[in-house]
Amino acid sequence: MSSAKKPKWYVVWTGHMPGVYTTWTVAEKQIHGFPGARYKSYESREEAEAAFSGGPPATTPRTAAKKVVVKAHAAKLPSISVDAACDMTTGVMEYRGVDTETQRELFRMGPYQGSSNNHGEFLAIVHALALCQQHGWVLPIYTDSRTALSWVRNRKIKSTVQRTSVNAPVFDLIDRAEKWLTNNTYANPVLKWETSQWGENPADFGRK
């Protein structure tokens, strides 16, 4: 007769409800869909509780292997980074948001016609804010667009791009984003990604 499976304890440092859990089923619920979740299993309760008290490991092999590495004591983690890409010749734009630490894509929208890069950055920030509100995440959000940061603070864009039948879909999104900012409050810090100090924004499309 085979021996009973040895129990494990699961530590969640960063998740919906950090703590020490006795089953993977419950622990998994705390990290599912949470950007930058940090967790690990241990063989004994004592080891797990000591690890939880001591905080997560400084780095993991998966994080170290990523193309974009966030420098220590730079961007706040966990957090969301957003970016947009726009072909200046055609005006085709798309935007996305990623987990800053792992670069896991959280959302991606577009392409949209007749738009601009700042349109995309603005929409990406508001998309990230709405996503955080939906899930109860109070996470910092990073963008490398000072213009988009200003638009979000003012709850309104100030663009030279004219609304046309071609770009109506993106302007409809902008209208909705402005309305969302007017009707909602949020605790998420919306911050400037300092490219010169930290390297490329993790959400960058890599088309430069």
Side-chain angles (χ1 to χ4, degrees), residues 12-202:
V12 177
W13 291 283
T14 306
H16 298 293
M17 292 185 64
V20 177
Y21 296 90
T22 57
T23 69
W24 172 242
T25 301
V26 178
E28 187 178 25
K29 291 179 180 179
Q30 312 312 316
I31 63 175
H32 181 69
F34 194 99
R38 301 293 298 275
Y39 58 96
K40 187 177 179 181
S41 66
Y42 291 89
E43 299 297 328
S44 70
R45 178 184 293 276
E46 292 75 14
E47 188 180 9
E49 291 178 346
F52 180 67
S53 299
T59 186
T60 63
R62 186 177 72 162
T63 301
K66 291 294 180 180
K67 179 177 64 176
V68 176
V69 178
V70 179
K71 296 180 181 179
H73 309 298
K76 299 177 182 178
L77 301 173
S79 58
I80 296 174
S81 293
V82 302
D83 197 26
C86 184
D87 187 319
M88 301 305 294
T89 302
T90 63
V92 175
M93 178 274 291
E94 57 186 317
Y95 67 83
R96 69 175 186 151
V98 305
D99 178 319
T100 300
E101 186 175 20
T102 67
Q103 294 178 261
R104 181 173 67 87
E105 193 168 77
L106 303 174
F107 60 85
R108 184 173 188 145
M109 300 293 289
Y112 300 104
Q113 306 291 323
S115 189
S116 73
N117 192 74
N118 284 325
H119 283 174
E121 296 274 5
F122 172 76
L123 289 172
I125 295 170
V126 181
H127 193 133
L129 287 170
L131 181 69
C132 286
Q133 184 188 76
Q134 178 184 355
H135 291 282
W137 302 336
V138 184
L139 300 175
I141 297 168
Y142 285 97
T143 174
D144 54 19
S145 171
R146 294 187 186 278
T147 298
L149 285 170
S150 174
W151 289 355
V152 169
R153 284 194 301 269
N154 295 326
R155 298 179 173 84
K156 192 172 184 63
I157 73 164
K158 189 175 181 181
S159 175
T160 58
V161 179
Q162 299 298 309
R163 187 189 297 254
T164 67
S165 59
V166 173
N167 62 22
V170 76
F171 271 92
D172 287 344
L173 286 176
I174 290 170
D175 291 342
R176 289 169 55 190
E178 291 176 340
K179 184 176 181 180
W180 190 94
L181 290 170
T182 299
N183 295 335
N184 292 271
T185 59
Y186 54 88
N188 306 75
V190 183
L191 307 170
K192 175 71 170 61
W193 181 268
E194 301 297 344
T195 306
S196 61
Q197 301 175 37
W198 306 341
E200 202 62 71
N201 183 327

